[in-house]
Amino acid sequence: CSLELAMWKIGALQTFVSNQGTVGDFAPSQFKTAAVHRIAVLDIRIVNLDRNDGNVLVKRSSGSSGSRLELAPIDHGLSLPDRLEVHVDDIGWMNWPQAKEAIGEAELKYIRNLKGEEDAKLLENLLGIRRECLRLMETTTKLLQIGARHGLTLFEIGSILYRGDYSDAPPTPSELEKIIERCVDVAQTVISGGTSSAT
């Protein structure tokens, strides 16, 4: 079969993860804080819109200290969006006690060493992800770094990033959405030579 005759299709390559169920089948208190924090850092960085309890698998691993539970995040199809419209109800770990604990030293070091702009260029070159999506990832990476540097918990950082619950009508923008809107307003005003309404 020649490449000219091949039928090209867009698909997804996935790895099967052996598991004991999803996090919804377990009490959150059974999960290690560091494991929850690693998923939270990932979700904030890539602006995951859908980290419900079905999108984290629980694996059991055995070590010298006996059996322990590990978390495996799956289904990132609603990540790297071009706009912030994430509700706290869509992010399961925001309701777990670990999110309100101080970020551990290993995770703080990881966050400090993140390079949002370099990662964005890599994703653009390798995967062709649109610039507006990558710009948002750079923004949330910077939010993560600033928040961690000032001692915020991942819950507090998430509270800046995510909207309140779905009962808000009309939806109330998140604090980060408001900041971005003010920045865009100022930038447009400067370009047009007018006066900004942002405060």
Side-chain angles (χ1 to χ4, degrees):
C1 177
S2 71
L3 288 177
E4 293 82 28
L5 299 175
M7 280 277 270
W8 294 99
K9 295 184 178 181
I10 296 175
L13 182 63
Q14 301 179 8
T15 301
F16 176 77
V17 178
S18 181
N19 63 87
Q20 274 65 53
T22 66
V23 292
D25 300 325
F26 296 81
S29 60
Q30 295 181 269
F31 309 137
K32 291 192 174 294
T33 299
V36 173
H37 285 187
R38 286 192 294 267
I39 291 174
V41 168
L42 171 68
D43 286 346
I44 290 170
R45 264 207 99 192
I46 64 175
V47 196
N48 188 352
L49 303 177
D50 188 28
R51 181 62 73 207
N52 62 59
D53 286 353
N55 286 340
V56 182
L57 300 179
V58 179
K59 304 187 300 180
R60 194 175 298 280
S61 67
S62 53
S64 57
S65 58
S67 178
R68 66 173 197 226
L69 298 179
E70 293 183 3
L71 303 179
I74 61 167
D75 190 359
H76 299 93
L78 291 176
S79 299
L80 295 173
D82 60 3
R83 65 183 54 92
L84 279 176
E85 291 178 357
V86 193
H87 287 81
V88 71
D89 297 340
D90 296 322
I91 310 298
W93 55 261
M94 281 289 287
N95 295 311
W96 299 349
Q98 296 91 330
K100 295 183 179 179
E101 294 183 28
I103 302 173
E105 192 50 50
E107 288 73 38
L108 284 172
K109 182 178 179 182
Y110 174 80
I111 291 168
R112 276 194 303 269
N113 291 327
L114 291 172
K115 295 179 173 49
E117 289 183 28
E118 288 181 23
D119 292 342
K121 286 177 187 169
L122 184 69
L123 290 172
E124 184 174 18
N125 293 335
L126 293 179
L127 301 176
I129 295 174
R130 293 177 298 139
R131 183 68 195 119
E132 52 268 35
C133 303
L134 297 172
R135 189 179 301 117
L136 189 53
M137 184 194 77
E138 291 176 46
T139 302
T140 56
T141 299
K142 187 59 73 178
L143 169 67
L144 188 58
Q145 291 175 319
I146 292 170
R149 190 167 62 240
H150 286 86
L152 299 185
T153 65
L154 288 159
F155 174 82
E156 290 169 325
I157 296 170
S159 297
I160 296 168
L161 173 61
Y162 305 128
R163 292 179 175 184
D165 59 40
Y166 282 111
S167 64
D168 293 348
T172 304
S174 70
E175 291 305 314
L176 185 58
E177 284 179 273
K178 293 175 189 174
I179 292 168
I180 292 172
E181 188 177 328
R182 287 196 299 270
C183 291
V184 169
D185 180 47
V186 169
Q188 289 175 338
T189 301
V190 169
I191 291 169
S192 66
T195 305
S196 171
S197 62
T199 55

